[in-house]
Amino acid sequence: MGFTIFVVVLLLLVFVTLLSGIKSVPQGYEWTQERFGKFQRALKPGLNIIIPYIDRIGRRVNMMEQVMDVPSQEIITKDNALVTVDGVVFYQVLDSAKASYEVRNLEQATLNLTMTNIRTVMGSMDLDELLSNRDQINARLLMVVDEATEPWGVKVTRIEVKDIKPPADLVASMARQMKAEREKRANILDAEGFRQAAILKAEGEKQAEILNAEGRRQAAFLEAEARERSAQAEAEATRVVSDAIAGGSVQAVNYFIAQRYIDALKEIAIAPNQKTLILPIEATAVLGSLQGIAEIAKEAFGVGGNAGKGRG
């Protein structure tokens, strides 16, 4: 009976021993194996065998990319502006042994290192530069922190500054400055618009003056041409009358006198200061002149006595 109990206990002890030597590591993790307190190797995800009672599991390291919030902190910029800044850090353990044995409390160490470098980087910049160059700040922080955590077997993949809060009075001043700048731009645009409008108006007036001058020049040219033709016609008429007078035609003389007489009457009649016209002349003289015009017309067109003589 006692031997049976001994065998059962021995078998149970062997089973427990074998079971303690089998380790199943989940995906995304690595476990460190220690032998008498000294690191031996990193156990990869899956089934692993260790020596019971000699080896043991040291650290269980998360190998997945992790995110860590950076709490808000106050920073004094280069131009003595007090701002409140917070952020977020993405990192991943690449070497489980270094992350386990090269640094104590990896997450706390990474957080403190990030906060310190945020104060260093952002404290060396002016407020305007701080607000407008966030990408540059993230790149500088990433380079510095990643280099500092490399001995720990950690790769910092991204650092993002989430929020930058200047003081309330400074925000109000910036709002007034932005409003003034926008009003300045609006005034400049209005002035530019008025300038362009004035230029276009002046250009239009210039073109109108050119067109008017061109029209007046053309009108003057046509008027001069009309006067020239009228003068030529008048000269031709005078020449015809002169030839008729030289030939002894009394009717031509009467026509010439009657024309000048009628023109004089016309000028007197259209005068604006004349309301009543008194002519101390005989109507028969005028009729005689008109009769002379008729005789000239008969001679010109061959109507009357000479024409009858030709037919006779």
Side-chain angles (χ1 to χ4, degrees), residues 9-302:
V9 172
L10 182 61
L11 291 176
L12 183 61
L13 181 61
V14 171
F15 177 75
V16 172
T17 301
L18 292 176
L19 187 63
S20 64
I22 300 174
K23 301 298 180 181
S24 178
V25 181
Q27 184 67 38
Y29 286 82
E30 285 187 6
W31 294 356
T32 61
Q33 176 187 340
E34 297 177 357
R35 180 170 297 173
F36 302 115
K38 182 179 180 181
F39 171 77
Q40 291 295 312
R41 65 189 179 99
L43 303 181
K44 302 299 182 181
L47 189 63
N48 295 271
I49 304 297
I50 65 174
I51 301 175
Y53 309 117
I54 297 177
D55 297 335
R56 72 181 185 89
I57 300 301
R59 302 287 191 273
R60 291 173 171 84
V61 182
N62 187 345
M63 304 298 291
M64 295 179 289
E65 186 173 4
Q66 302 177 65
V67 59
M68 178 174 56
D69 286 329
V70 179
S72 298
Q73 57 178 329
E74 292 183 344
I75 298 174
I76 299 177
T77 63
K78 186 178 179 180
D79 52 352
N80 297 323
L82 184 65
V83 296
T84 303
V85 181
D86 60 1
V88 62
V89 179
F90 295 85
Y91 69 96
Q92 184 177 13
V93 176
L94 301 180
D95 192 327
S96 58
K98 290 182 178 180
S100 300
Y101 303 108
E102 295 293 337
V103 61
R104 184 176 182 180
N105 196 342
L106 174 64
E107 183 175 345
Q108 186 66 29
T110 304
L111 178 61
N112 290 334
L113 183 63
T114 303
M115 294 178 67
T116 302
N117 281 280
I118 286 177
R119 288 194 295 269
T120 301
V121 172
M122 302 182 71
S124 63
M125 305 173 68
D126 294 332
L127 179 60
D128 292 338
E129 187 180 4
L130 194 69
L131 297 175
S132 60
N133 295 327
R134 186 170 298 188
D135 292 339
Q136 181 181 352
I137 296 172
N138 294 335
R140 291 177 60 183
L141 286 173
L142 178 61
M143 181 181 64
V144 174
V145 177
D146 183 48
E147 184 179 357
T149 57
E150 185 179 0
W152 302 341
V154 176
K155 174 65 178 177
V156 179
T157 58
R158 181 177 299 177
I159 297 180
E160 296 288 343
V161 176
K162 292 194 299 185
D163 196 10
I164 301 176
K165 295 180 180 178
D169 55 346
L170 188 59
V171 173
S173 299
M174 293 171 61
R176 291 194 299 270
Q177 180 182 2
M178 181 178 62
K179 182 179 179 181
E181 183 66 23
R182 291 184 176 179
E183 290 179 351
K184 173 184 176 182
R185 293 179 181 178
N187 292 333
I188 291 175
L189 291 176
D190 289 341
E192 185 66 22
F194 291 144
R195 175 176 172 271
Q196 292 294 334
I199 292 174
L200 293 176
K201 181 178 179 181
E203 186 68 23
E205 292 177 351
K206 174 183 176 182
Q207 294 295 331
E209 290 294 333
I210 292 174
L211 292 176
N212 290 334
E214 184 67 24
R216 290 193 298 270
R217 187 181 73 84
Q218 188 68 21
F221 176 77
L222 295 177
E223 183 180 357
E225 185 178 2
R227 287 197 300 268
E228 181 181 359
R229 293 184 178 181
S230 176
Q232 291 177 355
E234 183 69 21
E236 183 65 21
T238 303
R239 185 187 63 78
V240 171
V241 172
S242 298
D243 292 343
I245 294 173
S249 175
V250 179
Q251 287 82 2
V253 176
N254 292 334
Y255 166 74
F256 189 78
I257 296 173
Q259 184 181 13
R260 294 291 181 265
Y261 185 76
I262 293 173
D263 291 339
L265 291 178
K266 180 179 178 182
E267 293 295 331
I268 295 174
I270 64 176
N273 56 350
Q274 296 296 329
K275 301 302 182 181
T276 303
L277 181 63
I278 300 175
L279 300 176
I281 57 174
E282 295 181 358
T284 56
V286 177
L287 293 177
S289 299
L290 296 178
Q291 182 65 29
I293 296 173
E295 292 297 332
I296 294 174
K298 288 180 180 181
E299 291 182 2
F301 293 101

